Amino acid sequence: AGLAEQVAPVQAAYRLERRDQALRDAEKRGVEPQPAEPAAGYESFAENAKLVEPIAVAESRLASVVAACRDDDVGEITIHDTVFRPSEFAKSAVLVYMQQHIPACFFDDAGKTLHRPTDIERALAGTLSAAERAATYVDVDYAGYLASLLLDPARSEEPERTQGVDDNGEPLPPKPLTRGHSPIVEQAAAFYTRLVRKLPPGVVYCPPRQGFKTVPKAAADDDAADKYLSSHELEAYVRVVGADGARCLDRALTAAAVDEMASVKKCVCFKDNAWRQHLDRVRLGFLNGDWVPAAIELQRAGALDALLRAATRLGNVLELRRLVRDLAAKTARRAAPHLASTAKLALDAAGPRAASKVPTWWLSAELDRRDPAFANNGNFDAPPYERDAALFDEAKALVEAADEWRLLPYAFSAALLANDWKTARWLPDLQALDNGAHAVSAAIKALAHCFNGLPPDHPDAPKQSKAVVARFLEAAAAQLNWMRLHEKDFPDLPVRAMAAYLEHVAHDAAIPRSYLDKFLPYAVIHASLMDIAMGRQTVEDEKKSPWDVKAFDINRDT
């Protein structure tokens, strides 16, 4: 493990940095620089053979002792009333070594902070390499012991028997097997859940890079995006914990998403009739200025800021959940390349009702001819609609009345007046808002999926879900046009960034640009992006940096 840490790429960068600093210090003092640090693994070079002689001798002695323990002639050694079994002692020593080192590969000494997944993978490989070498001398099932530490298959419950029939008179299938998870995997899933629900300032989801990134102006110590939430690190984590660990993380994130949905519900499904009337005024008056007084009342009450923050947290959780699912599918296809094709044969035999329960992230685009909802997506090359049955089943407890979520689109459109928008700025290189509010698009899509009034296996569920998002775009675009026409009344709001945000929502929900263009012409979006490129996202920015055609003069002197 020590050598693996030395040869890590980041250590090479640190070594080079230390060498440059030593050269600069020597130049300032006017002295000869000290010799450079030896390269990682220099003991293995031919000219340094004498340095490894003590290690070779110790290895030879250890091999002799372990080989003697394995010898069948040794067996048991009886001394007075005590029986010694050297082979059993050596076997238990290997298992104790794994029991101590494997948890240390995952967590720090306090057991609370997860190590970087690539470091976990590297350290775990070193631990298993040592156990594998011991297994050449001692009959020890180190792979099975590792599986027991990470999978813990002992805790399981029998599936409940089938009860009742569905609408077509067919018997309902048994509930899926409920099994526990390893404490190590559960602790790692809890760490990821806490991290994504409370991201450090400056860490946002980046759609083009399919991972979380740190915005340029964030604090230097906010390295959570690179250490845990990048696509490379998440893939390493999935490789380490396997399918069962990925499923454990998926369940934890699903539960966290439902908790955030409950927070969103408090800001959308008001029990107070007066607050519902404010949202009704937004619904009826978004084409004119009648929505402004109602939205201001909601803003003063803090409902809009609470909604925007809860939806941002929900969107971050859902984006991480989707990334883990995609990487789990990618890893599974590499490890078992024929598993997906076998499942597709079973789906062909089971029919479309079974296909509606399978997530598209696992079957990729080949699900289109098996999914009856694919035809409802339109002819805009949109991906197949994903029926997230797990999220729907967990969230259906939040539905108390049939029409309580009907004002969902207009609550999010009114949230354009939230105070948190005042500090938001659009980052063109990341295609994201620097406060992470663009993740609300994933939240809107998931809420529309769970609370559109139809079950996920209904043929019209995709159309109904997209209709909810479309109503939000219609209302939000009309309100944004009003804000652009009366921009002096909203000097602190980045209305140009909001235009880019609405385009992101439409793209994320696979709604064609032609639909958005009915309410928010592309000329407005293009002009907003040009202003953003010049650093003008609010009226105050425009006063500080007025329009200058020379900014686009490519022949000017530089």
Side-chain angles (χ1 to χ4, degrees):
L3 179 60
E5 184 177 354
Q6 292 180 43
V7 299
V10 66
Q11 296 298 330
Y14 291 153
R15 193 178 300 109
L16 182 61
E17 182 181 4
R18 289 193 297 268
R19 179 58 180 169
D20 291 342
Q21 184 63 38
L23 292 176
R24 288 193 296 268
D25 292 343
E27 184 178 358
K28 289 181 180 179
R29 294 194 301 265
V31 298
E32 290 293 330
Q34 296 292 330
E37 293 183 34
Y42 70 97
E43 303 93 341
S44 302
F45 293 166
E47 59 269 20
N48 300 323
K50 292 184 178 181
L51 296 176
V52 298
E53 286 183 1
I55 301 177
V57 172
E59 177 76 15
S60 178
R61 292 176 179 175
L62 179 61
S64 300
V65 171
V66 177
C69 294
R70 186 188 59 176
D71 194 348
D72 296 334
D73 296 335
V74 176
E76 298 179 353
I77 301 176
T78 304
I79 301 177
H80 298 295
D81 59 346
T82 304
V83 178
F84 295 93
R85 296 181 176 86
S87 60
E88 293 297 325
F89 173 79
K91 178 179 179 180
S92 63
V94 174
L95 297 181
V96 169
Y97 167 80
M98 295 182 65
Q99 185 179 12
Q100 294 176 347
H101 281 73
I102 288 178
C105 293
F106 281 84
F107 301 98
D108 60 2
D109 295 336
K112 296 182 179 180
T113 303
L114 189 73
H115 292 311
R116 183 192 291 261
T118 49
D119 291 343
I120 296 174
E121 189 176 28
R122 192 180 302 113
L124 198 60
T127 301
L128 293 180
S129 176
E132 185 179 10
R133 294 182 65 185
T136 60
Y137 301 99
V138 182
D139 184 15
V140 55
D141 184 14
Y142 67 93
Y145 189 73
L146 174 66
S148 67
L149 287 178
L150 295 184
L151 302 182
D152 191 19
R155 290 183 295 167
S156 61
E157 300 176 2
E158 292 296 329
E160 297 183 8
R161 294 187 176 183
T162 302
Q163 296 181 356
V165 295
D166 60 10
D167 296 337
N168 297 326
E170 299 179 1
L172 294 172
K175 294 183 178 180
L177 181 67
T178 303
R179 58 180 299 177
H181 297 281
S182 159
I184 296 177
V185 172
E186 288 181 347
Q187 189 175 353
F191 174 84
Y192 265 107
T193 303
R194 290 194 304 269
L195 177 63
V196 75
R197 295 182 74 173
K198 194 175 181 180
L199 287 175
V203 177
V204 300
Y205 174 71
C206 179
R209 303 184 186 182
Q210 291 294 294
F212 289 80
K213 302 295 293 183
T214 303
V215 299
K217 295 182 180 180
D221 57 347
D222 290 339
D223 57 350
D226 294 330
K227 286 184 64 176
Y228 303 109
L229 299 175
S230 65
S231 178
H232 176 67
E233 296 294 340
L234 287 172
E235 185 174 358
Y237 177 80
V238 171
R239 286 198 302 267
V240 168
V241 299
D244 190 78
R247 184 164 55 249
C248 177
L249 179 55
D250 183 84
R251 289 179 179 177
L253 293 174
T254 301
V258 175
D259 288 343
E260 298 299 346
M261 285 182 176
S263 300
V264 171
K265 181 179 179 180
K266 296 178 182 178
C267 307
V268 175
C269 307
F270 294 109
K271 294 184 178 180
D272 189 347
N273 188 50
W275 296 115
R276 287 200 302 270
Q277 289 179 358
H278 288 313
L279 285 182
D280 262 329
R281 289 177 61 188
V282 174
R283 177 179 65 87
L284 297 173
F286 67 82
L287 291 177
N288 50 49
D290 294 343
W291 65 275
V292 177
I296 290 177
E297 289 295 327
L298 293 171
Q299 177 203 41
R300 291 173 179 172
L304 299 185
D305 288 299
L307 173 61
L308 188 62
R309 292 168 189 170
T312 301
R313 294 194 300 270
L314 173 59
N316 288 328
V317 170
L318 293 172
E319 293 293 3
L320 178 59
R321 180 172 176 264
R322 183 187 57 79
L323 284 175
V324 172
R325 285 182 156 210
D326 289 342
L327 294 173
K330 178 181 177 181
T331 304
R333 284 193 289 267
R334 289 179 177 176
H338 301 295
L339 181 62
S341 60
T342 304
K344 291 168 189 173
L345 292 176
L347 288 177
D348 285 337
R353 288 179 59 84
S356 65
K357 299 294 184 181
V358 180
T360 57
W361 59 267
W362 192 61
L363 292 177
S364 68
E366 298 185 21
L367 184 65
D368 54 3
R369 65 184 180 85
R370 299 172 174 83
D371 192 345
F374 182 75
N376 293 327
N377 278 336
N379 299 319
F380 303 102
D381 296 327
Y385 175 78
E386 179 179 348
R387 293 178 166 159
D388 200 336
L391 183 62
F392 182 88
D393 291 339
E394 292 290 333
K396 63 184 179 182
L398 298 177
V399 179
E400 299 177 5
D403 61 341
E404 63 179 344
W405 288 89
R406 64 184 182 86
L407 297 176
L408 173 70
Y410 310 103
F412 277 103
S413 66
L416 293 178
L417 286 188
N419 290 322
D420 286 356
W421 270 105
K422 295 179 180 180
T423 59
R425 296 294 182 269
W426 184 260
L427 304 175
D429 54 339
L430 299 182
Q431 291 294 296
L433 290 163
D434 59 0
N435 66 348
H438 61 285
V440 173
S441 63
I444 296 175
K445 187 171 62 173
L447 292 168
H449 165 69
C450 294
F451 306 119
N452 59 43
L454 296 176
D457 58 350
H458 194 281
D460 292 333
K463 183 185 298 183
Q464 188 71 12
S465 178
K466 284 192 175 184
V468 174
V469 183
R471 285 196 292 271
F472 160 74
L473 289 173
E474 180 181 358
Q479 293 175 198
L480 183 60
N481 287 329
W482 177 271
M483 295 165 68
R484 285 298 299 263
L485 292 174
H486 304 81
E487 196 167 11
K488 294 182 180 179
D489 297 334
F490 310 96
D492 298 330
L493 292 177
V495 292
R496 296 159 179 82
M498 292 177 180
Y501 160 72
L502 293 184
E503 185 184 34
H504 169 71
V505 173
H507 180 270
D508 195 30
I511 293 179
R513 183 189 293 274
S514 59
Y515 180 85
L516 181 62
D517 194 61
K518 296 178 182 178
F519 314 102
L520 187 67
Y522 179 71
V524 176
I525 299 176
H526 179 74
S528 300
L529 294 176
M530 296 294 288
D531 286 337
I532 292 173
M534 293 187 293
R536 303 161 57 199
Q537 302 203 27
T538 66
V539 173
E540 297 298 329
D541 294 338
E542 189 172 357
K543 292 179 181 178
K544 297 176 183 178
S545 177
W547 169 263
D548 187 1
V549 71
K550 294 181 180 179
F552 298 95
D553 186 4
I554 61 175
N555 296 319
R556 72 183 188 278
D557 295 332
T558 57

Short mmCIF file of all heavy atoms in Angstrom, two decimals, residues 44-91:
data_model
loop_
_atom_site.label_atom_id
_atom_site.label_comp_id
_atom_site.label_asym_id
_atom_site.label_seq_id
_atom_site.Cartn_x
_atom_site.Cartn_y
_atom_site.Cartn_z
N SER A 44 13.83 -0.88 -6.02
CA SER A 44 13.77 -1.99 -6.98
C SER A 44 14.74 -1.84 -8.14
O SER A 44 14.83 -2.73 -8.98
CB SER A 44 12.34 -2.12 -7.52
OG SER A 44 11.42 -2.32 -6.47
N PHE A 45 15.44 -0.69 -8.21
CA PHE A 45 16.40 -0.52 -9.29
C PHE A 45 17.58 -1.47 -9.09
O PHE A 45 17.94 -1.83 -7.95
CB PHE A 45 16.91 0.91 -9.34
CG PHE A 45 15.84 1.91 -9.72
CD1 PHE A 45 16.03 3.26 -9.52
CD2 PHE A 45 14.64 1.49 -10.27
CE1 PHE A 45 15.05 4.16 -9.86
CE2 PHE A 45 13.64 2.38 -10.61
CZ PHE A 45 13.85 3.72 -10.41
N ALA A 46 18.20 -1.88 -10.20
CA ALA A 46 19.29 -2.85 -10.14
C ALA A 46 20.46 -2.35 -9.29
O ALA A 46 21.08 -3.10 -8.53
CB ALA A 46 19.77 -3.19 -11.55
N GLU A 47 20.78 -1.05 -9.40
CA GLU A 47 21.92 -0.51 -8.66
C GLU A 47 21.64 -0.41 -7.16
O GLU A 47 22.56 -0.17 -6.36
CB GLU A 47 22.29 0.88 -9.18
CG GLU A 47 21.19 1.90 -9.10
CD GLU A 47 20.33 1.95 -10.35
OE1 GLU A 47 20.36 0.95 -11.10
OE2 GLU A 47 19.66 2.96 -10.58
N ASN A 48 20.36 -0.60 -6.77
CA ASN A 48 20.00 -0.52 -5.36
C ASN A 48 19.61 -1.89 -4.81
O ASN A 48 18.80 -2.00 -3.89
CB ASN A 48 18.85 0.46 -5.15
CG ASN A 48 19.20 1.86 -5.59
OD1 ASN A 48 20.34 2.30 -5.42
ND2 ASN A 48 18.24 2.56 -6.17
N ALA A 49 20.18 -2.94 -5.37
CA ALA A 49 19.78 -4.29 -4.99
C ALA A 49 20.06 -4.56 -3.51
O ALA A 49 19.32 -5.30 -2.85
CB ALA A 49 20.51 -5.31 -5.85
N LYS A 50 21.12 -3.98 -2.97
CA LYS A 50 21.47 -4.24 -1.57
C LYS A 50 20.42 -3.68 -0.61
O LYS A 50 20.30 -4.15 0.52
CB LYS A 50 22.84 -3.66 -1.25
CG LYS A 50 23.99 -4.36 -1.97
CD LYS A 50 25.33 -3.79 -1.53
CE LYS A 50 26.47 -4.53 -2.20
NZ LYS A 50 27.80 -4.01 -1.78
N LEU A 51 19.68 -2.67 -1.04
CA LEU A 51 18.70 -2.07 -0.16
C LEU A 51 17.52 -3.00 0.12
O LEU A 51 16.84 -2.85 1.14
CB LEU A 51 18.19 -0.76 -0.76
CG LEU A 51 19.22 0.37 -0.93
CD1 LEU A 51 18.59 1.55 -1.63
CD2 LEU A 51 19.76 0.79 0.43
N VAL A 52 17.26 -3.92 -0.81
CA VAL A 52 16.11 -4.81 -0.63
C VAL A 52 16.52 -6.16 -0.06
O VAL A 52 15.65 -7.03 0.11
CB VAL A 52 15.37 -5.01 -1.98
CG1 VAL A 52 14.84 -3.70 -2.49
CG2 VAL A 52 16.28 -5.65 -3.01
N GLU A 53 17.81 -6.35 0.21
CA GLU A 53 18.23 -7.64 0.77
C GLU A 53 17.56 -7.96 2.10
O GLU A 53 17.09 -9.08 2.30
CB GLU A 53 19.75 -7.67 0.91
CG GLU A 53 20.47 -7.82 -0.42
CD GLU A 53 21.98 -7.92 -0.24
OE1 GLU A 53 22.43 -7.89 0.93
OE2 GLU A 53 22.70 -8.04 -1.24
N PRO A 54 17.46 -6.98 3.06
CA PRO A 54 16.75 -7.32 4.31
C PRO A 54 15.30 -7.71 4.08
O PRO A 54 14.77 -8.61 4.75
CB PRO A 54 16.86 -6.03 5.13
CG PRO A 54 18.05 -5.32 4.57
CD PRO A 54 18.06 -5.65 3.11
N ILE A 55 14.65 -7.04 3.11
CA ILE A 55 13.26 -7.38 2.82
C ILE A 55 13.17 -8.78 2.23
O ILE A 55 12.28 -9.57 2.57
CB ILE A 55 12.65 -6.34 1.87
CG1 ILE A 55 12.71 -4.94 2.49
CG2 ILE A 55 11.21 -6.70 1.52
CD1 ILE A 55 12.19 -3.84 1.59
N ALA A 56 14.10 -9.12 1.33
CA ALA A 56 14.09 -10.45 0.71
C ALA A 56 14.33 -11.54 1.75
O ALA A 56 13.69 -12.60 1.72
CB ALA A 56 15.14 -10.51 -0.39
N VAL A 57 15.23 -11.28 2.69
CA VAL A 57 15.50 -12.27 3.73
C VAL A 57 14.27 -12.48 4.61
O VAL A 57 13.89 -13.62 4.94
CB VAL A 57 16.72 -11.84 4.57
CG1 VAL A 57 16.89 -12.75 5.78
CG2 VAL A 57 17.98 -11.86 3.72
N ALA A 58 13.65 -11.35 5.02
CA ALA A 58 12.45 -11.45 5.84
C ALA A 58 11.33 -12.18 5.11
O ALA A 58 10.60 -13.00 5.68
CB ALA A 58 12.00 -10.06 6.27
N GLU A 59 11.19 -11.90 3.81
CA GLU A 59 10.16 -12.57 3.01
C GLU A 59 10.44 -14.06 2.92
O GLU A 59 9.52 -14.89 3.00
CB GLU A 59 10.12 -11.95 1.61
CG GLU A 59 9.14 -12.58 0.65
CD GLU A 59 7.71 -12.19 0.93
OE1 GLU A 59 7.51 -11.22 1.67
OE2 GLU A 59 6.81 -12.86 0.40
N SER A 60 11.71 -14.42 2.76
CA SER A 60 12.06 -15.84 2.67
C SER A 60 11.77 -16.57 3.97
O SER A 60 11.23 -17.68 3.96
CB SER A 60 13.55 -15.97 2.30
OG SER A 60 13.93 -17.33 2.25
N ARG A 61 12.09 -15.93 5.09
CA ARG A 61 11.81 -16.56 6.38
C ARG A 61 10.32 -16.71 6.61
O ARG A 61 9.85 -17.75 7.11
CB ARG A 61 12.44 -15.74 7.50
CG ARG A 61 13.98 -15.76 7.49
CD ARG A 61 14.52 -14.85 8.57
NE ARG A 61 15.98 -14.88 8.60
CZ ARG A 61 16.73 -14.10 9.37
NH1 ARG A 61 16.14 -13.21 10.17
NH2 ARG A 61 18.06 -14.20 9.34
N LEU A 62 9.57 -15.68 6.27
CA LEU A 62 8.11 -15.75 6.44
C LEU A 62 7.52 -16.84 5.58
O LEU A 62 6.64 -17.59 6.01
CB LEU A 62 7.49 -14.39 6.09
CG LEU A 62 5.97 -14.31 6.18
CD1 LEU A 62 5.50 -14.60 7.61
CD2 LEU A 62 5.48 -12.96 5.73
N ALA A 63 8.00 -16.97 4.35
CA ALA A 63 7.50 -18.01 3.46
C ALA A 63 7.80 -19.39 4.01
O ALA A 63 6.98 -20.31 3.93
CB ALA A 63 8.10 -17.84 2.07
N SER A 64 8.98 -19.54 4.61
CA SER A 64 9.34 -20.84 5.19
C SER A 64 8.43 -21.19 6.37
O SER A 64 7.98 -22.32 6.51
CB SER A 64 10.80 -20.82 5.63
OG SER A 64 11.65 -20.57 4.53
N VAL A 65 8.16 -20.18 7.22
CA VAL A 65 7.30 -20.43 8.38
C VAL A 65 5.89 -20.78 7.93
O VAL A 65 5.27 -21.74 8.43
CB VAL A 65 7.29 -19.20 9.30
CG1 VAL A 65 6.24 -19.36 10.39
CG2 VAL A 65 8.66 -18.98 9.91
N VAL A 66 5.35 -20.03 6.99
CA VAL A 66 3.99 -20.29 6.54
C VAL A 66 3.90 -21.62 5.81
O VAL A 66 2.93 -22.37 5.95
CB VAL A 66 3.50 -19.13 5.63
CG1 VAL A 66 2.11 -19.42 5.10
CG2 VAL A 66 3.48 -17.83 6.40
N ALA A 67 4.93 -21.96 5.02
CA ALA A 67 4.94 -23.26 4.34
C ALA A 67 4.98 -24.39 5.34
O ALA A 67 4.35 -25.44 5.14
CB ALA A 67 6.13 -23.32 3.39
N ALA A 68 5.71 -24.20 6.44
CA ALA A 68 5.74 -25.24 7.47
C ALA A 68 4.38 -25.41 8.13
O ALA A 68 3.97 -26.52 8.47
CB ALA A 68 6.80 -24.89 8.52
N CYS A 69 3.68 -24.31 8.31
CA CYS A 69 2.34 -24.39 8.89
C CYS A 69 1.39 -25.16 7.98
O CYS A 69 0.45 -25.81 8.45
CB CYS A 69 1.80 -22.99 9.15
SG CYS A 69 2.69 -22.08 10.43
N ARG A 70 1.63 -25.06 6.68
CA ARG A 70 0.75 -25.73 5.74
C ARG A 70 1.05 -27.21 5.63
O ARG A 70 0.23 -28.00 5.18
CB ARG A 70 0.88 -25.07 4.36
CG ARG A 70 -0.10 -25.57 3.32
CD ARG A 70 0.23 -25.02 1.96
NE ARG A 70 1.58 -25.40 1.54
CZ ARG A 70 2.09 -25.09 0.34
NH1 ARG A 70 1.37 -24.39 -0.52
NH2 ARG A 70 3.31 -25.46 0.02
N ASP A 71 2.24 -27.62 6.03
CA ASP A 71 2.68 -29.00 5.85
C ASP A 71 1.75 -29.96 6.60
O ASP A 71 1.47 -29.77 7.78
CB ASP A 71 4.12 -29.15 6.37
CG ASP A 71 4.75 -30.46 5.89
OD1 ASP A 71 4.00 -31.31 5.38
OD2 ASP A 71 5.98 -30.61 6.05
N ASP A 72 1.30 -30.96 5.90
CA ASP A 72 0.38 -31.92 6.51
C ASP A 72 1.05 -32.71 7.63
O ASP A 72 0.37 -33.24 8.52
CB ASP A 72 -0.16 -32.88 5.45
CG ASP A 72 -1.00 -32.15 4.40
OD1 ASP A 72 -1.55 -31.08 4.74
OD2 ASP A 72 -1.10 -32.64 3.27
N ASP A 73 2.39 -32.85 7.58
CA ASP A 73 3.07 -33.61 8.63
C ASP A 73 3.04 -32.90 9.97
O ASP A 73 3.20 -33.52 11.03
CB ASP A 73 4.53 -33.87 8.23
CG ASP A 73 4.62 -34.74 6.98
OD1 ASP A 73 3.66 -35.48 6.72
OD2 ASP A 73 5.64 -34.65 6.26
N VAL A 74 2.87 -31.55 9.94
CA VAL A 74 2.85 -30.81 11.19
C VAL A 74 1.55 -31.06 11.93
O VAL A 74 1.53 -31.50 13.09
CB VAL A 74 3.08 -29.31 10.94
CG1 VAL A 74 2.95 -28.53 12.24
CG2 VAL A 74 4.44 -29.08 10.31
N GLY A 75 0.42 -30.80 11.26
CA GLY A 75 -0.89 -31.04 11.84
C GLY A 75 -1.06 -30.33 13.16
O GLY A 75 -1.03 -29.11 13.23
N GLU A 76 -1.20 -31.10 14.23
CA GLU A 76 -1.39 -30.55 15.55
C GLU A 76 -0.14 -30.78 16.40
O GLU A 76 0.53 -31.80 16.28
CB GLU A 76 -2.60 -31.20 16.24
CG GLU A 76 -3.92 -30.97 15.52
CD GLU A 76 -5.07 -31.64 16.23
OE1 GLU A 76 -4.78 -32.39 17.19
OE2 GLU A 76 -6.22 -31.43 15.82
N ILE A 77 0.14 -29.83 17.24
CA ILE A 77 1.27 -29.93 18.17
C ILE A 77 0.69 -29.85 19.57
O ILE A 77 0.06 -28.86 19.94
CB ILE A 77 2.29 -28.82 17.94
CG1 ILE A 77 2.83 -28.88 16.50
CG2 ILE A 77 3.42 -28.90 18.94
CD1 ILE A 77 3.77 -27.75 16.17
N THR A 78 0.90 -30.94 20.37
CA THR A 78 0.37 -31.00 21.72
C THR A 78 1.48 -30.77 22.73
O THR A 78 2.50 -31.48 22.71
CB THR A 78 -0.30 -32.35 21.98
OG1 THR A 78 -1.32 -32.57 20.99
CG2 THR A 78 -0.93 -32.39 23.37
N ILE A 79 1.28 -29.77 23.55
CA ILE A 79 2.22 -29.48 24.63
C ILE A 79 1.43 -29.46 25.92
O ILE A 79 0.60 -28.56 26.15
CB ILE A 79 2.94 -28.14 24.40
CG1 ILE A 79 3.70 -28.15 23.07
CG2 ILE A 79 3.88 -27.82 25.55
CD1 ILE A 79 4.37 -26.85 22.74
N HIS A 80 1.68 -30.48 26.74
CA HIS A 80 0.92 -30.68 27.97
C HIS A 80 -0.57 -30.77 27.63
O HIS A 80 -0.98 -31.64 26.86
CB HIS A 80 1.21 -29.56 28.97
CG HIS A 80 2.65 -29.50 29.40
ND1 HIS A 80 3.26 -30.51 30.10
CD2 HIS A 80 3.61 -28.54 29.22
CE1 HIS A 80 4.53 -30.22 30.34
NE2 HIS A 80 4.77 -29.01 29.79
N ASP A 81 -1.39 -29.88 28.15
CA ASP A 81 -2.82 -29.95 27.90
C ASP A 81 -3.28 -28.97 26.85
O ASP A 81 -4.47 -28.66 26.74
CB ASP A 81 -3.61 -29.72 29.19
CG ASP A 81 -3.30 -28.36 29.80
OD1 ASP A 81 -2.30 -27.74 29.38
OD2 ASP A 81 -4.05 -27.92 30.70
N THR A 82 -2.36 -28.41 26.06
CA THR A 82 -2.68 -27.42 25.03
C THR A 82 -2.36 -27.99 23.65
O THR A 82 -1.28 -28.56 23.45
CB THR A 82 -1.91 -26.12 25.24
OG1 THR A 82 -2.18 -25.63 26.56
CG2 THR A 82 -2.32 -25.07 24.21
N VAL A 83 -3.30 -27.81 22.71
CA VAL A 83 -3.11 -28.28 21.34
C VAL A 83 -2.93 -27.07 20.43
O VAL A 83 -3.78 -26.16 20.42
CB VAL A 83 -4.32 -29.12 20.87
CG1 VAL A 83 -4.13 -29.55 19.42
CG2 VAL A 83 -4.51 -30.33 21.77
N PHE A 84 -1.84 -27.04 19.71
CA PHE A 84 -1.54 -25.95 18.78
C PHE A 84 -1.76 -26.44 17.35
O PHE A 84 -1.30 -27.54 16.98
CB PHE A 84 -0.09 -25.48 18.95
CG PHE A 84 0.19 -24.86 20.29
CD1 PHE A 84 0.68 -25.64 21.33
CD2 PHE A 84 -0.05 -23.52 20.51
CE1 PHE A 84 0.93 -25.07 22.57
CE2 PHE A 84 0.21 -22.96 21.74
CZ PHE A 84 0.70 -23.72 22.78
N ARG A 85 -2.45 -25.62 16.59
CA ARG A 85 -2.67 -25.92 15.17
C ARG A 85 -2.06 -24.77 14.36
O ARG A 85 -2.71 -23.74 14.14
CB ARG A 85 -4.16 -26.06 14.86
CG ARG A 85 -4.83 -27.23 15.58
CD ARG A 85 -6.30 -27.33 15.19
NE ARG A 85 -6.93 -28.48 15.78
CZ ARG A 85 -7.47 -28.51 16.99
NH1 ARG A 85 -7.45 -27.40 17.75
NH2 ARG A 85 -8.03 -29.61 17.46
N PRO A 86 -0.84 -24.88 13.90
CA PRO A 86 -0.18 -23.78 13.19
C PRO A 86 -0.92 -23.32 11.95
O PRO A 86 -0.97 -22.13 11.66
CB PRO A 86 1.20 -24.38 12.83
CG PRO A 86 1.40 -25.46 13.84
CD PRO A 86 0.06 -26.03 14.11
N SER A 87 -1.53 -24.26 11.22
CA SER A 87 -2.23 -23.86 10.00
C SER A 87 -3.44 -22.99 10.32
O SER A 87 -3.73 -22.00 9.64
CB SER A 87 -2.66 -25.10 9.21
OG SER A 87 -3.53 -25.90 9.99
N GLU A 88 -4.18 -23.36 11.41
CA GLU A 88 -5.33 -22.56 11.80
C GLU A 88 -4.90 -21.19 12.31
O GLU A 88 -5.58 -20.19 12.08
CB GLU A 88 -6.13 -23.29 12.87
CG GLU A 88 -6.80 -24.56 12.39
CD GLU A 88 -7.83 -24.27 11.30
OE1 GLU A 88 -8.48 -23.21 11.37
OE2 GLU A 88 -7.96 -25.08 10.38
N PHE A 89 -3.76 -21.17 13.01
CA PHE A 89 -3.25 -19.88 13.49
C PHE A 89 -2.90 -18.97 12.31
O PHE A 89 -3.23 -17.77 12.32
CB PHE A 89 -2.02 -20.10 14.38
CG PHE A 89 -1.35 -18.82 14.78
CD1 PHE A 89 -1.87 -18.04 15.79
CD2 PHE A 89 -0.20 -18.40 14.12
CE1 PHE A 89 -1.25 -16.85 16.17
CE2 PHE A 89 0.42 -17.21 14.48
CZ PHE A 89 -0.11 -16.43 15.51
N ALA A 90 -2.22 -19.52 11.29
CA ALA A 90 -1.86 -18.71 10.13
C ALA A 90 -3.11 -18.24 9.38
O ALA A 90 -3.19 -17.09 8.92
CB ALA A 90 -0.96 -19.52 9.20
N LYS A 91 -4.10 -19.12 9.29
CA LYS A 91 -5.35 -18.74 8.61
C LYS A 91 -6.05 -17.61 9.35
O LYS A 91 -6.50 -16.62 8.74
CB LYS A 91 -6.25 -19.96 8.50
CG LYS A 91 -7.60 -19.68 7.85
CD LYS A 91 -8.42 -20.95 7.77
CE LYS A 91 -9.79 -20.68 7.15
NZ LYS A 91 -10.60 -21.93 7.07
#
